[in-house]
């Protein structure tokens, strides 16, 4: 089955840039979506189709993809960005949605 | 206001059954594919099942195939998850989510707040 690999944790100081990676075989051929989830809350879509931002998501959030890795970048990090972040793709070989294991972003 | 509200969670013994419901409001759910996703305590997100807009295409995660059944009633703007032969490992918060976008290019743009299922003796 298809696997997406994320680092368990990323730490960043306020005002700096955080990069959260998501690795997967041939991920370049998949649309990658990103969600954030704060404790006790439902996930929220922050990036879709690799780099598009839904209405209401600050432009500090951006997405990119290169080789076998997709990256969520959060610029000018704020304390309120502290959350778990998940990447997601549709695996057309198995007809399954696949989530990465999640990355806990800590704002120092 | 576009909203999804899950219900039907609770405490059930191993081997038991539960039926979860997901009620949509603010949009016509029959226009959208829908998914169920779960999250075990302290764990990440796990996709469970998906149903197409008219219910003719259904997929399940391997971990629930043969035990869970997804369905929908578009007249009631609702999606359901019938869960049978429940196991302790099925304990989780269960979310429903709307899938948006052209066919084969979906993403989950609206999520409910979830309903908690606890399987314990």
């Amino acid at each position: 089955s298809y696997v997406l690999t994320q680092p368990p944790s990323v730490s960043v100081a306020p005002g700096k840039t955080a990069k959260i990676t998501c690795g997967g075989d041939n991920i370049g051929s998949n649309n990658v979506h990103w969600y954030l989830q704060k404790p006790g809350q439902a996930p929220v879509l922050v990036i879709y189709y690799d780099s598009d931002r839904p209405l209401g998501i600050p432009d500090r959030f951006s997405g990119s993809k290169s080789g076998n890795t997709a990256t969520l970048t959060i610029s000018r990090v704020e304390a309120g960005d502290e959350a778990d972040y998940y990447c997601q793709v549709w695996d057309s070989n198995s007809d399954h949605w696949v989530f990465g294991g999640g990355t806990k972003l800590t704002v120092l | 206001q576009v909203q999804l509200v899950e219900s039907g969670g609770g405490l059930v013994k191993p081997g038991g059954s539960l039926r979860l419901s997901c009620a949509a409001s603010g949009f016509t759910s029959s226009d959208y594919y829908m998914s169920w996703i779960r999250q075990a305590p302290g764990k990440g997100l796990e996709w469970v099942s998906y149903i197409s807009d008219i219910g003719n295409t259904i997929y399940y995660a391997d971990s629930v195939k043969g035990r869970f059944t997804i369905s929908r009633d578009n007249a009631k703007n609702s999606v359901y998850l019938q869960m049978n032969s429940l196991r302790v490992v099925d304990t989780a918060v269960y979310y429903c989510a709307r899938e948006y976008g052209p066919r084969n290019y979906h993403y989950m743009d609206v999520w409910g707040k979830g309903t908690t299922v606890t399987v314990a003796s």
Side-chain angles (χ1 to χ4, degrees):
Chain A
S1 58
Y2 194 77
V3 175
L4 293 173
T5 301
Q6 298 182 235
S9 62
V10 167
S11 298
V12 63
K16 301 299 186 184
T17 297
K19 290 185 182 291
I20 299 172
T21 58
C22 173
D25 284 343
N26 203 28
I27 201 171
S29 63
N30 297 91
N31 290 306
V32 181
H33 315 305
W34 291 91
Y35 303 86
L36 72 77
Q37 185 183 34
K38 297 185 178 179
Q41 297 185 22
V44 173
L45 178 72
V46 292
I47 293 288
Y48 63 99
Y49 297 160
D50 302 337
S51 58
D52 289 347
R53 231 179 5 260
L55 289 175
I57 300 299
D59 61 6
R60 299 185 298 103
F61 289 80
S62 62
S64 61
K65 208 165 59 176
S66 178
N68 283 332
T69 302
T71 302
L72 173 69
T73 300
I74 309 170
S75 304
R76 305 182 301 281
V77 167
E78 303 172 357
D81 298 331
E82 203 164 80
D84 293 325
Y85 290 82
Y86 295 91
C87 58
Q88 179 202 40
V89 302
W90 174 256
D91 177 23
S92 56
N93 289 325
S94 62
D95 289 326
H96 283 27
W97 281 109
V98 178
F99 287 96
T103 298
K104 182 176 181 59
L105 177 68
T106 299
V107 181
L108 300 170
Chain B
Q1 179 187 1
V2 173
Q3 195 174 2
L4 295 169
V5 178
E6 302 94 338
S7 61
L11 173 64
V12 62
K13 289 181 166 43
S17 298
L18 273 180
R19 187 192 194 215
L20 306 184
S21 299
C22 170
S25 59
F27 69 99
T28 303
S29 66
S30 58
D31 291 339
Y32 298 91
Y33 289 34
M34 301 289 289
S35 264
W36 286 96
I37 302 96
R38 69 184 180 183
Q39 186 170 36
K43 303 295 186 184
L45 300 173
E46 179 190 16
W47 170 76
V48 172
S49 183
Y50 139 134
I51 186 167
S52 61
D53 49 2
I54 58 173
N56 61 335
T57 300
I58 288 172
Y59 299 120
Y60 297 99
D62 296 344
S63 57
V64 306
K65 198 169 187 177
R67 301 187 299 123
F68 290 12
T69 302
I70 192 170
S71 63
R72 66 191 304 160
D73 185 340
N74 287 336
K76 295 184 178 179
N77 238 18
S78 294
V79 178
Y80 307 98
L81 188 68
Q82 177 67 42
M83 305 186 297
N84 298 332
S85 303
L86 281 162
R87 305 167 180 167
V88 172
V89 295
D90 295 318
T91 295
V93 176
Y94 284 73
Y95 298 100
C96 67
R98 184 177 83 170
E99 298 199 14
Y100 187 85
R103 187 172 294 187
N104 298 326
Y105 294 92
H106 288 174
Y107 51 90
M108 297 175 183
D109 71 329
V110 179
W111 294 63
K113 295 186 187 304
T115 187
T116 300
V117 172
T118 303
V119 185
S121 52

